Amino acid sequence: MPNHKQPILVFGATGQQGGSVASALLKEGWPVRAFVRSVHALKSTALREVGAELMQGNLADVCSIRSAMRGVHGVFSVQPSSGQGALYGVSDEDEVRFGTTIADIAVESGVRHLVYSSSNAVGDEPTGMGHFDSKACIEAHVRTLPIATSIIRPAAFMEMLMMPGFGLDKGCFNFFMRPDQPMQLVAVEDIGRIVAALFADPLRFEGSIIEIASDVVTVQDLEELLTQAAGKPISYSRFSSEVLAANPFLAKLTDLVDEGRLTGYANFEELRRMNPRLMSFRCWLSGCGREAFEVALGAAGAWRYGPT
Ligand SMILES: NC(=O)c1ccc[n+]([C@@H]2O[C@H](COP(=O)([O-])OP(=O)(O)OC[C@H]3O[C@@H](n4cnc5c(N)ncnc54)[C@H](OP(=O)(O)O)[C@@H]3O)[C@@H](O)[C@H]2O)c1
């Protein structure tokens, strides 16, 4: 249990990563302050019910970030991105501005430890995709801060595999990997547990950049696991050349997978020391991912992500 009373401010607390982080921190006994756009939204009231303090604000409103940051020990920083399509209407420039503003205000406010969530696509070279290169800019800024900072680079979320357009409703699964290419995935729930481990030991993790994944799967694993979970055959194929020709965003992601920029290099041994309960895709499908999987089996829909 942490022995101080200052809270950790969690951005995106009504979303996947922030929600997972808020929940894991509360379980570890941290006071959690959740930055939310509406205190009346269902996900916000659910956070309050489990013990989080709500702070209403907007990433575009610097004053609201400043007031939320007053008196906090730590900050979990995550931003929406253009990769999420029209969902939040965020440009790559917005994402960079949000991420660097949070970082600067954290320093101004005397925050002790900032954890920034990036992506495993980020590396030494640009990717050529706006919503990854935006994260490289934020990372570069975070690394210059005069406070303890840690950066996580999550792999593709298991939850992401359930989005419409991958074909599960048609008894198939179309994805990025070649048959010879294993790919790392992360269960969103594990992100929270890893972030809680970072906040628990700032001295050890100060300045660290940690790729996060909870399992690695091959094409064969995907076919077997999805077939078993669905109780009917699910066959794998890579996106067809027609699909890729019609969708430059998907084509570029596929190129990055080809180049090994999105397949992941997480160190499972190290991650298990931080979170001994890393979730396999098999467990995810039969546990916390079951509902999303069942919805995906019945949900027709086209791929609709990427900048609009
Ligand atoms: N999907 C993947 O496989 C993957 C892998 C690695 C990294 N990522 C990155 O993860 C990030 C998204 O994280 P996520 O999946 O946790 O997001 P998410 O579930 O879509 O949640 C987004 C959160 O941001 C909040 N938000 C949106 N606009 C806001 C604003 N203007 N002011 C304040 N809060 C705002 C939302 O609040 P409301 O509830 O009010 O809408 C929500 O809490 C993106 O940068 C993406 O590129 C994704």
Side-chain angles (χ1 to χ4, degrees):
M1 287 267 179
N3 57 10
H4 46 77
K5 299 275 181 273
Q6 283 184 297
I8 293 183
L9 177 65
V10 177
F11 285 90
T14 51
Q16 300 190 92
Q17 299 195 56
S20 164
V21 169
S23 159
L25 290 173
L26 286 165
K27 279 185 193 137
E28 292 298 321
W30 285 95
V32 167
R33 188 176 289 173
F35 190 86
V36 298
R37 286 201 286 183
S38 162
V39 290
H40 304 296
L42 275 181
K43 287 186 176 171
S44 303
T45 52
L47 280 164
R48 184 163 39 212
E49 274 160 27
V50 292
E53 173 196 4
L54 302 185
M55 285 299 272
Q56 186 154 311
N58 195 300
L59 291 170
D61 172 3
V62 174
C63 293
S64 69
I65 300 179
R66 200 167 270 125
S67 355
M69 205 100 64
R70 228 166 263 139
V72 306
H73 165 84
V75 169
F76 174 71
S77 168
V78 64
Q79 289 75 46
S81 79
S82 69
Q84 295 174 287
L87 188 57
Y88 300 112
V90 168
S91 68
D92 301 324
E93 294 72 26
D94 292 333
E95 186 187 352
V96 173
R97 195 177 69 256
F98 296 158
T100 55
T101 301
I102 289 172
D104 291 340
I105 297 179
V107 174
E108 250 176 68
S109 312
V111 166
R112 309 289 294 277
H113 190 185
L114 173 90
V115 176
Y116 167 60
S117 179
S118 174
S119 157
N120 73 346
V122 175
D124 295 337
E125 298 297 323
T127 62
M129 292 197 86
H131 72 296
F132 293 136
D133 295 339
S134 51
K135 291 174 175 61
C137 288
I138 300 171
E139 280 199 14
H141 188 73
V142 164
R143 284 197 293 264
T144 66
L145 301 182
I147 58 173
T149 61
S150 311
I151 294 171
I152 57 163
R153 291 177 172 170
F157 303 165
M158 292 177 186
E159 286 73 5
M160 192 262 290
L161 274 56
M162 301 298 124
M163 296 193 314
F166 289 128
L168 282 173
D169 57 305
K170 299 186 197 73
C172 56
F173 188 66
N174 308 128
F175 204 52
F176 302 98
M177 300 135 73
R178 293 192 310 259
D180 61 326
Q181 241 184 342
M183 185 158 164
Q184 295 187 349
L185 301 173
V186 66
V188 164
E189 207 174 297
D190 281 324
I191 298 177
R193 289 196 276 256
I194 299 279
V195 170
L198 295 174
F199 279 119
D201 201 347
L203 285 181
R204 178 168 162 219
F205 294 113
E206 172 172 0
S208 58
I209 301 179
I210 300 181
E211 265 205 47
I212 296 194
S214 38
D215 199 5
V216 56
V217 290
T218 60
V219 161
Q220 200 185 350
D221 294 333
L222 281 177
E223 276 195 339
E224 278 174 22
L225 293 169
L226 293 170
T227 294
Q228 197 178 52
K232 62 178 187 185
I234 306 273
S235 59
Y236 179 91
S237 40
R238 209 171 189 220
F239 294 119
S240 67
S241 43
E242 293 77 37
V243 167
L244 295 181
N247 188 328
F249 181 80
L250 209 53
K252 183 71 185 127
L253 281 174
T254 308
D255 286 346
L256 288 176
V257 172
D258 258 342
E259 293 160 19
R261 292 291 299 265
L262 278 170
T263 43
Y265 297 93
N267 177 340
F268 288 103
E269 216 175 288
E270 181 190 2
L271 290 170
R272 270 196 198 91
R273 277 196 294 270
M274 299 169 74
N275 167 19
R277 293 159 59 197
L278 284 186
M279 207 178 302
S280 66
F281 190 46
R282 180 190 299 279
C283 289
W284 185 88
L285 279 168
S286 61
C288 62
R290 182 76 215 168
E291 198 180 322
F293 180 58
E294 277 171 12
V295 170
L297 287 175
W303 174 271
R304 56 159 196 267
Y305 301 89
T308 48

